[in-house]
Amino acid sequence: MPEVETVRRGLAPSVEGQTITRADIRRKDLRFPFPERFRERLEGRVVASLGRRAKYLLADLDDGEVLVMHLGMSGSFRVEEAQPADFHHRRSRDGKHDHVVLALSNGASITYNDPRRFGFMTLVPRAEIESHAFFAELGPEPVGNALSAEYLVETLAKRGSPIKASLLDQTIIAGLGNIYVCEALFRAQINPTRKAGQLTSDEIATLVPIIREVIAEAIEAGGSSLRDHAQVSGELGYFQHRFKVYDREGEPCPLCGTGIARITQSGRSTFFCPTCQAV
DNA sequence: CCGCGATCCTGGGGGC
DNA sequence: TGCCCCCAGGATCGCG
């Protein structure tokens, strides 16, 4: 989610208030087929605002539709600002996995690139957003007041799955990804294999502000650039330099020196300190 | 109803 | 150099 918020902040100044003058849709699908008449429904529309819910980007269009976008694992946007006509030949060449290019009335263009094509774009009427399958079951956002300790205590109480899996569940908290769950559990010194329902209220009360803090720090750092993610300018995020455990298998724990462990939970890698996060 | 493994897809890195 | 296997910021589906 910090990566998505970074993309939103990078795109917003270039797209908000602009008309989409041309939509170049270069294939028929990403993860899902593009909607019917996708190009026609985008061209001529004004982007009123660019928002975010969980890991979805939401471009509010002036005809009552919302362009819903998800970056999946490898999606990225880049912005090319307006160039003088005679500088045309210097514009960056099309990348191999550039799937959608939107030209805007201010002369900028935004390009969606996604090698793995786990991302998607679709159009949903504004009035149906809340009830749409993408959004209806989402839990609270991890920053701000939406996520409370009382809520999380109550929600986790019924859970028999490991706390790691529970925090990745978007219906419990909307927007936490693998990196940030690992980092938050480390900071809270909670073992990722413990059953969610067996955490104490005190542990959960400790965890909630830590989740907010990790996410806020990561947004401020422009997200984490491991392989694909970059800001829309092409600059990398730098939160990866602040990882204490994620992607650090075998390296010493910054608190106690024990080697960081990697295990697999629900098919995803979990990194943790076996000493600081002992069961 | 739950929890988990398989799955979609391409590319990068390490071992041999 | 090349091949093969493993791994990846996500989320859904179908199974037991």
Side-chain angles (χ1 to χ4, degrees):
Chain A
M1 187 277 264
E3 292 71 33
V4 181
E5 178 61 20
T6 296
V7 169
R8 190 196 68 76
R9 292 181 183 190
L11 288 179
S14 301
V15 306
E16 286 183 339
Q18 300 302 314
T19 302
I20 300 170
T21 54
R22 198 170 58 83
D24 187 6
I25 314 299
R26 299 184 174 175
R27 48 180 299 131
K28 65 180 193 326
D29 60 6
L30 292 171
R31 178 173 181 178
F32 308 124
F34 289 118
E36 295 292 311
R37 302 179 57 253
F38 190 40
R39 178 179 66 80
E40 293 85 343
R41 287 159 73 183
L42 291 175
E43 288 182 346
R45 301 278 59 78
V46 176
V47 179
S49 64
L50 185 66
R52 179 191 59 76
R53 173 77 170 105
K55 300 170 189 171
Y56 299 86
L57 286 169
L58 304 171
D60 215 338
L61 306 181
D62 65 344
D63 64 347
E65 293 209 283
V66 179
L67 173 59
V68 176
M69 299 171 279
H70 196 294
L71 306 179
M73 299 271 271
S74 61
S76 64
F77 277 98
R78 67 175 190 275
V79 172
E80 286 157 289
E81 298 298 343
Q83 302 282 348
D86 57 332
F87 274 41
H88 245 240
H89 62 285
R90 296 180 59 185
R91 307 230 342 228
S92 67
R93 291 166 52 88
D94 291 344
K96 185 173 178 189
H97 298 288
D98 289 350
H99 305 309
V100 174
V101 181
L102 302 180
L104 302 169
S105 47
N106 57 5
S109 66
I110 67 172
T111 300
Y112 180 71
N113 181 284
D114 189 354
R116 295 177 72 182
R117 305 200 303 275
F118 286 177
F120 59 86
M121 294 187 190
T122 193
L123 288 163
V124 176
R126 179 85 229 156
E128 294 171 22
I129 285 281
E130 303 261 317
S131 60
H132 193 281
F134 292 149
F135 305 102
E137 306 297 325
L138 287 177
E141 292 284 320
V143 283
N145 302 323
L147 175 65
S148 70
E150 303 76 60
Y151 162 81
L152 200 57
V153 168
E154 186 187 342
T155 306
L156 295 182
K158 315 159 199 149
R159 293 272 159 170
S161 52
I163 183 64
K164 163 74 190 307
S166 301
L167 294 179
L168 275 179
D169 183 336
Q170 302 294 296
T171 71
I172 298 179
I173 301 175
L176 283 190
N178 202 31
I179 289 172
Y180 303 103
V181 170
C182 292
E183 293 297 313
L185 287 174
F186 172 75
R187 291 189 191 195
Q189 306 204 349
I190 294 170
N191 186 285
T193 68
R194 287 178 57 200
K195 299 219 182 294
Q198 292 176 336
L199 296 192
T200 66
S201 302
D202 282 353
E203 286 173 318
I204 295 172
T206 301
L207 182 58
V208 165
I210 286 174
I211 289 171
R212 289 199 200 107
E213 171 187 274
V214 168
I215 294 294
E217 281 180 30
I219 290 171
E220 191 175 357
S224 306
S225 296
L226 280 114
R227 295 162 190 81
D228 295 312
H229 169 72
Q231 306 190 33
V232 301
S233 59
E235 288 178 76
L236 303 180
Y238 53 88
F239 191 73
Q240 66 277 12
H241 302 304
R242 310 253 282 270
F243 292 169
K244 301 288 198 293
V245 291
Y246 187 86
D247 209 18
R248 292 192 173 280
E249 182 182 11
E251 296 179 36
C253 168
L255 296 183
C256 76
T258 303
I260 298 301
R262 182 174 78 86
I263 60 174
T264 299
Q265 294 181 285
S266 324
R268 315 287 305 277
S269 284
T270 299
F271 299 88
F272 69 107
C273 172
T275 302
C276 296
Q277 296 168 267
V279 180

